[in-house]
Amino acid sequence: MTERTHKKIDLAAEQLTTAFHIFLDGTSMASALTLAGAAEEILGQESERRDTSNAIGKMYDTQKTFLELLYGKPVDLKSYRDEFNYPRNAIKHFRDSKEHQIKVNLEDAALWMIVRAFSNYRLLSLPHLECEAEFNHWFYVNVAGS
């Protein structure tokens, strides 16, 4: 096998596409979540590098005032991000040797990580992925239109 140079954005797009297809097939929500999470992270970091807010940053900006009113204190971006990334990080890392199980809806976690990854992809104004129209249709029929 030959070593080659790969663009991280292209690899993230491949991971996102694969995550979406695994999600649709229903074969492994954990795999869909981790692949979408890897894509979301790379695409989100690239958005930040380009000085544009990424999906999680935009969500935080929209909800920050409401969260401060709800909790009676400021909620920082890191805590907010950690909360949304918990399912992905919990299945990727074994930080607590006593934590042998997690309670999470993997299907929901995978779906919303895919949504964030697609959002970051779009924020970068990259060429449309072949699966984007299929994802948009699936999302409208199964989530937004229900």
Side-chain angles (χ1 to χ4, degrees), residues 7-133:
K7 293 180 180 176
K8 289 186 178 189
I9 297 295
D10 293 342
L11 296 175
E14 179 183 326
Q15 289 173 314
L16 174 54
T17 300
T18 303
F20 174 61
H21 289 300
I22 290 171
F23 177 84
L24 274 189
D25 294 345
T27 52
S28 174
M29 293 301 144
S31 295
L33 173 58
T34 54
L35 282 168
E40 188 274 342
E41 187 170 349
I42 291 293
L43 297 167
Q45 288 174 355
E46 180 63 12
S47 291
E48 287 178 351
R49 190 188 70 74
R50 293 183 187 185
D51 290 330
T52 55
S53 186
N54 58 29
I56 197 80
K58 287 183 179 295
M59 289 167 45
Y60 174 75
D61 290 343
T62 302
Q63 297 175 3
K64 182 170 70 170
T65 302
F66 171 76
L67 293 170
E68 288 177 5
L69 291 170
L70 180 67
Y71 296 117
K73 63 180 182 179
V75 175
D76 62 282
L77 177 59
K78 182 186 179 329
S79 299
Y80 183 83
R81 184 182 296 132
D82 289 349
E83 181 74 24
F84 277 93
N85 288 335
Y86 171 76
R88 178 197 64 190
N89 291 336
I91 66 173
K92 274 182 20 175
H93 304 290
F94 212 151
R95 293 193 177 135
D96 182 349
S97 62
K98 295 179 177 107
E99 184 183 56
H100 295 277
Q101 308 179 85
I102 62 164
K103 187 172 183 174
V104 65
N105 182 325
L106 285 175
E107 186 174 3
D108 278 356
L111 169 63
W112 293 108
M113 190 61 73
I114 290 168
V115 167
R116 283 174 41 201
F118 269 118
S119 295
N120 284 337
Y121 189 87
R122 287 185 201 109
L123 288 168
L124 293 169
S125 301
L126 297 168
H128 281 280
L129 296 173
E130 285 184 33
C131 67
E132 263 185 288

Side-chain angles (χ1 to χ4, degrees), residues 111-112 137-146:
L111 169 63
W112 293 108
H137 176 74
W138 182 94
F139 189 87
Y140 179 77
V141 168
N142 294 282
V143 180
S146 55

